[in-house]
Amino acid sequence: MFKFERQYTESVTDTRWLDATEMAAWRAFVSTSHLLERRIEEQLKAAAGLTHPQYEILVVLSESPGRQMRMTELARDVVVSKSALTYQINQLEKAGLVERATCPSDERGVLAVLTEKGAHCLARVAPGHVEVVRAFLIDRLSREELRAMTSAMRKTEEALRSSA
Amino acid sequence: MFKFERQYTESVTDTRWLDATEMAAWRAFVSTSHLLERRIEEQLKAAAGLTHPQYEILVVLSESPGRQMRMTELARDVVVSKSALTYQINQLEKAGLVERATCPSDERGVLAVLTEKGAHCLARVAPGHVEVVRAFLIDRLSREELRAMTSAMRKTEEALRSSA
DNA sequence: CGATGGTTGTTCAGATTTGAACAACGACTC
DNA sequence: GAGTCGTTGTTCAAATCTGAACAACCATCG
């Protein structure tokens, strides 16, 4: 009875450690996400001199109505800090892949707009990127694993986004 | 017949794009890993002034025989570059959590050794860290999801580690 | 209307990461 | 043993990320 209750009673001195299975899951997740991130970065850098965040910015913009988006929302979607986004948009602007526009409805607002050149760059780079994603992740998973992973990621994402 | 074969025929002009399900899986994975990383980092920084890589270094060392490990192997385990590890070990050494020792068997080698202070620091910080990992990931997944995710991550990790 | 409080994007300083270059050492061959 | 090739860890410059501070703007309530 005690054993059962302790599972749900967190205190300073009584930690619910991860068992071997849970630990293995967590370790695998962390290592793999770092390794994959590194590989993706490497591929994009070699193919187009882009970083992964930069590529993601292009993707999100390309799928956004009018190929444009407010800075804050873009930062949320791509999961970077506001200052990191400012920096990256500056870089992309120098490269001519993105432009800034003032927001009509909000004087403070800034719109990041994908340029023609940006769209072409994305179209040129995407195949190689997708190939890496397939080769190391997607194509290696069964339908069931893909489904379960997506479900798991969504639950966690939801929890993280809704809490602070 | 053509349709079937094209699935397995990659060329410059014919890309196997991700379908909606696959795209959702990939997007969820990327977003979630970044969000989780950010949250972990925040928690560790607040609780002990540690970064996630630093914490992982302490964990790996604590589980290693003799609480010590060669720099290169440590870098592989924690998934950071050699130079990043040098930097972090310097930081941890300043904080007194890790010491360097020369490797007996290899004159070039450097051993990173966990100090008593480092072990205590880890013991103090681990509960709060585990709590975050549980709250946002582990405890939200079914047994099946946990199993599938682990399997998926391992396949990808294996592929990434064995190819260059 | 005016004050208060929240939002927006940028700037800045500081910390961290990476890859390339490098010097020192090990292993193996002839 | 000397030579060759690979490994090891560090240093360095450059790029990037983050959080805090900030100025400008919006919204809302009295």
Side-chain angles (χ1 to χ4, degrees):
Chain A
M1 200 195 279
F2 254 128
K3 280 177 70 179
F4 194 77
E5 287 199 16
R6 285 180 63 186
Q7 248 193 91
Y8 302 93
T9 315
E10 274 293 313
S11 82
V12 186
T13 54
D14 181 29
T15 299
R16 280 174 60 222
W17 297 105
L18 300 179
D19 66 32
T21 305
E22 294 166 336
M23 183 67 102
W26 172 239
R27 290 280 179 82
F29 178 79
V30 171
S31 297
T32 303
S33 62
H34 288 167
L35 284 166
L36 234 190
E37 191 68 48
R38 175 186 284 190
R39 189 63 67 105
I40 298 273
E41 202 85 35
E42 180 186 347
Q43 191 275 325
L44 286 172
K45 196 78 80 181
L50 288 176
T51 65
H52 194 199
Q54 285 170 358
Y55 179 83
E56 288 184 325
I57 289 169
L58 298 185
V59 170
V60 171
L61 286 181
S62 77
E63 292 172 349
S64 183
R67 283 175 167 178
Q68 61 187 25
M69 195 179 265
R70 289 286 293 270
M71 294 293 277
T72 297
E73 190 186 352
L74 190 49
R76 258 195 294 271
D77 279 23
V78 178
V79 189
V80 289
S81 65
K82 290 183 299 175
S83 40
L85 182 62
T86 294
Y87 175 77
Q88 289 297 0
I89 292 294
N90 285 339
Q91 300 302 103
L92 290 171
E93 214 171 14
K94 281 181 199 166
L97 307 181
V98 165
E99 284 173 354
R100 267 182 242 248
T102 55
C103 182
S105 60
D106 189 335
E107 198 59 35
R108 302 166 297 180
V110 172
L111 287 170
V113 188
L114 188 66
T115 64
E116 271 308 312
K117 186 174 175 187
H120 285 124
C121 172
L122 181 56
R124 185 166 51 78
V125 178
H129 173 73
V130 169
E131 208 166 316
V132 172
V133 174
R134 275 203 177 286
F136 290 105
L137 184 67
I138 302 293
D139 282 355
R140 297 191 119 78
L141 310 190
S142 68
R143 274 291 149 200
E144 173 52 22
E145 286 169 340
L146 199 70
R147 195 204 59 70
M149 191 191 78
T150 306
S151 164
M153 294 295 100
R154 280 188 172 151
K155 287 179 188 173
T156 296
E157 179 172 5
E158 159 64 14
L160 285 163
R161 295 207 114 110
S162 62
S163 96
Chain B
M1 200 196 279
F2 253 129
K3 281 175 69 180
F4 194 76
E5 287 199 17
R6 287 180 61 188
Q7 246 194 94
Y8 303 91
T9 316
E10 275 291 312
S11 84
V12 187
T13 53
D14 180 29
T15 298
R16 281 174 59 221
W17 297 106
L18 302 179
D19 65 33
T21 304
E22 294 165 335
M23 183 66 101
W26 172 238
R27 289 279 177 82
F29 178 78
V30 172
S31 297
T32 302
S33 62
H34 288 168
L35 284 166
L36 234 190
E37 193 66 50
R38 176 187 283 192
R39 189 62 67 103
I40 297 273
E41 202 85 36
E42 180 186 345
Q43 191 274 324
L44 287 172
K45 197 77 82 181
L50 288 176
T51 66
H52 194 198
Q54 285 169 358
Y55 179 84
E56 288 185 324
I57 289 170
L58 298 185
V59 170
V60 171
L61 286 182
S62 78
E63 292 172 347
S64 184
R67 285 175 165 177
Q68 61 187 25
M69 194 179 265
R70 289 287 293 271
M71 294 293 278
T72 296
E73 191 186 351
L74 190 49
R76 257 195 296 270
D77 279 24
V78 178
V79 187
V80 290
S81 65
K82 289 182 299 174
S83 38
L85 182 62
T86 294
Y87 175 78
Q88 290 298 358
I89 292 292
N90 286 339
Q91 299 305 103
L92 291 171
E93 214 170 14
K94 283 180 199 166
L97 306 181
V98 165
E99 285 174 352
R100 267 182 241 250
T102 56
C103 183
S105 61
D106 189 336
E107 197 61 33
R108 302 165 298 179
V110 171
L111 287 169
V113 187
L114 187 67
T115 64
E116 271 308 311
K117 187 176 174 187
H120 285 123
C121 173
L122 180 57
R124 185 168 50 78
V125 177
H129 172 74
V130 169
E131 208 166 318
V132 172
V133 174
R134 276 204 176 284
F136 291 105
L137 184 67
I138 302 293
D139 283 354
R140 298 191 118 79
L141 309 191
S142 68
R143 273 291 147 199
E144 175 51 23
E145 286 169 340
L146 199 71
R147 197 203 56 71
M149 190 191 78
T150 306
S151 163
M153 294 296 99
R154 280 187 171 151
K155 286 180 188 172
T156 297
E157 179 172 3
E158 159 64 13
L160 286 162
R161 295 206 113 113
S162 63
S163 96

